[in-house]
Amino acid sequence: GLLHYSVHAHDFPELGVPEEGLTAGASLMKGAPLSSHALHMRSHLDLRLGNFTSMDYSNAVSVEASDWYCHTALGLQAKGGVGDALAEALCDLDNKWHSLEWQHYALLQLGETDRAVPLLDRIREGGRVMSREKGDGYLAQWCYRSLSRSLFELSEEDSPSSKASAWREFADCCCAPAVPIQEDVEGALLLSGGAERDVKEDHVDCD
């Protein structure tokens, strides 16, 4: 707990402050090697320092720990059924999807598109499953942010789909039935120069 909050206490942009928390971050990873959130925490400081290689690693092992917890500790088996997919989406969801989002961002900054795109696909699919089967758009928040970063960071050639298709996906990200963050969509459209676009006109039918 002390190491965890020590990392948070150094998660500030002032010169020299993030560096002082790196030892605590490394000790937290070493002391709790099976804790998804503990493994993720150092990446807060890596982001401040622009150390995207370390940020990628921290979140990769964080996701691995979450998957281990769900598949081994809890015994979830990915058999391809709808119930299995929903259980996968819900299991350790805050840790898993948070770390997937952060790793995706780190890979975009490193220019490692081939590794970033599958993470985005996993985030989107988890959101779609949860939305369809549970009627819950909670995972849409990770999908919106990750897809918007892809739109802003990737070139036309790098994008997993055309820009037009990507905007349709963004407008109805993860097919959430009721999205409580419409302001985020409008803000991203404004940032990209597409403020005049009506996001409702390109609704995607999840079924």
Side-chain angles (χ1 to χ4, degrees), residues 71-181:
H71 299 156
T72 302
L74 296 185
L76 294 182
Q77 299 295 322
K79 300 177 181 177
V82 171
D84 296 319
L86 180 59
E88 170 73 21
L90 291 172
C91 182
D92 200 28
L93 79 168
D94 285 308
N95 288 324
K96 176 168 53 187
W97 302 109
H98 183 57
S99 295
L100 279 167
E101 177 190 0
W102 277 57
Q103 186 187 9
H104 174 260
Y105 178 73
L107 290 172
L108 289 179
Q109 299 309 304
L110 291 168
E112 296 193 30
T113 306
D114 290 344
R115 294 180 58 213
V117 169
L119 297 185
L120 176 60
D121 289 342
R122 182 177 179 183
I123 293 168
R124 289 172 54 204
E125 183 56 28
R128 290 177 187 277
V129 169
M130 190 167 174
S131 176
R132 283 196 300 258
E133 306 304 327
K134 200 169 183 290
D136 190 336
Y138 180 64
L139 289 187
Q141 60 177 304
W142 286 284
C143 185
Y144 276 116
R145 291 192 295 264
S146 297
L147 185 53
S148 64
R149 292 187 187 109
S150 293
L151 286 165
F152 300 144
E153 298 284 351
L154 298 179
S155 68
E156 184 75 26
E157 293 75 19
D158 288 332
S159 182
S161 58
S162 68
K163 290 297 182 182
S165 176
W167 276 118
R168 291 185 69 233
E169 293 166 6
F170 184 79
D172 204 332
C173 195
C174 298
C175 298
V179 180
I181 50 174

Side-chain angles (χ1 to χ4, degrees), residues 9-75:
H10 291 90
D11 186 11
F12 292 94
E14 285 77 13
L15 184 64
V17 174
E19 290 91 337
E20 293 176 354
L22 290 176
T23 299
S27 297
L28 183 59
M29 294 181 73
K30 183 177 180 179
L34 296 180
S35 169
S36 176
H37 190 63
L39 293 169
H40 156 81
M41 279 304 302
R42 178 192 163 111
S43 64
H44 281 254
L45 307 178
D46 292 327
L47 177 61
R48 295 287 186 187
L49 298 170
N51 190 348
F52 298 111
T53 299
S54 180
M55 182 178 174
D56 167 32
Y57 173 77
S58 296
N59 287 285
V61 295
S62 172
V63 172
E64 288 178 2
S66 180
D67 286 340
W68 177 89
Y69 170 73
C70 293
H71 299 156
T72 302
L74 296 185

